[in-house]
Amino acid sequence: MDGKAVVLYTSKRGSTQEYAEWIAEDLGCECASLKDFDKGTIPEYDLIIYGSWLRGSGIVDYDKLDPYLEGAKDRTILFVTGVSEYNPANYLQICEINFDGRENMDQMQLFFCPGRYNPDNVKGLDKMLMGVAKKVLKSGKTEDGAAGADQMIRYIEEGVDLVDRKYTEPILNAAHKILNR
């Protein structure tokens, strides 16, 4: 690998950490939890990959990393995990909520890696948010209507594990392009 890379992550139930570790292993680079990483060292890296989970289309803890990415966004890759269907409308919603629209992503690349969800492990705010999501889905008042709603309701009620290493391939391809510039 040419260049110095780091894979950072915020993970609550393990999906994002698993993807981050796979990516770091394949790139032969450092992997660290965002909370344990010295963000002041970001300028030392030729490639920064940050993975997190989605909460209501918000990228959890991205706001804690963003101030350190000044001048590094063209060499930053983001990936998010979640269990909702990933489609162009969801992508735009993620961009709007986190970056005030796609045009403000400052050359960063954003990828989606399907995660896992076990309703037995969810408590507090997350449990309440999933309950609200289920009610909205059952009401049929989602932007995309019934498309995927039944599947999402089933995921919320029964849980799901969609984690698969194959979803790291586009991230690795993008990483190699940045490192081999």
Side-chain angles (χ1 to χ4, degrees):
M1 173 181 76
D2 298 336
K4 186 176 177 184
V6 64
V7 180
L8 304 172
Y9 65 88
T10 297
S11 187
K12 190 162 189 175
R13 293 182 185 87
S15 302
T16 309
Q17 180 177 351
E18 189 168 7
Y19 282 117
E21 289 171 349
W22 284 336
I23 294 165
E25 178 184 323
D26 288 346
L27 291 175
C29 71
E30 181 182 355
C31 182
S33 168
L34 182 65
K35 69 178 169 63
D36 298 330
F37 183 75
D38 178 3
K39 292 173 267 316
T41 64
I42 294 275
E44 299 173 14
Y45 292 90
D46 301 303
L47 171 65
I48 302 98
I49 298 175
Y50 177 62
S52 186
W53 55 286
L54 293 173
R55 176 187 277 150
S57 295
I59 301 172
V60 174
D61 286 349
Y62 175 74
D63 60 323
K64 293 177 178 146
L65 176 64
D66 186 54
Y68 298 93
L69 293 177
E70 188 66 38
K73 290 189 177 179
D74 65 334
R75 60 183 196 273
T76 300
I77 296 171
L78 305 174
F79 73 91
V80 295
T81 61
V83 295
S84 63
E85 180 185 354
Y86 192 63
N87 58 45
N90 288 352
Y91 178 83
L92 291 174
Q93 183 177 20
I94 292 167
C95 291
E96 193 60 42
I97 288 172
N98 297 280
F99 313 106
D100 296 323
R102 175 148 176 58
E103 63 278 358
N104 295 320
M105 284 185 60
D106 296 321
Q107 305 171 339
M108 291 185 296
Q109 298 175 67
L110 174 65
F111 297 90
F112 181 79
C113 298
R116 70 175 58 94
Y117 177 76
N118 181 342
D120 296 335
N121 296 338
V122 180
K123 295 174 182 21
L125 177 63
D126 293 335
K127 185 172 188 157
M128 191 256 326
L129 289 172
M130 292 307 274
V132 169
K134 187 166 92 172
K135 284 181 184 176
V136 169
L137 289 164
K138 284 185 174 185
S139 75
K141 295 180 181 173
T142 59
E143 279 188 31
D144 60 353
D150 290 340
Q151 178 177 304
M152 247 338 263
I153 292 167
R154 193 169 54 255
Y155 289 173
I156 292 169
E157 292 175 347
E158 300 170 14
V160 64
D161 187 346
L162 303 170
V163 175
D164 190 320
R165 195 172 188 142
K166 71 181 180 185
Y167 295 110
T168 65
E169 291 172 16
I171 300 165
L172 293 168
N173 290 337
H176 288 296
K177 286 180 184 172
I178 290 172
L179 290 169
N180 295 321
R181 286 184 194 163

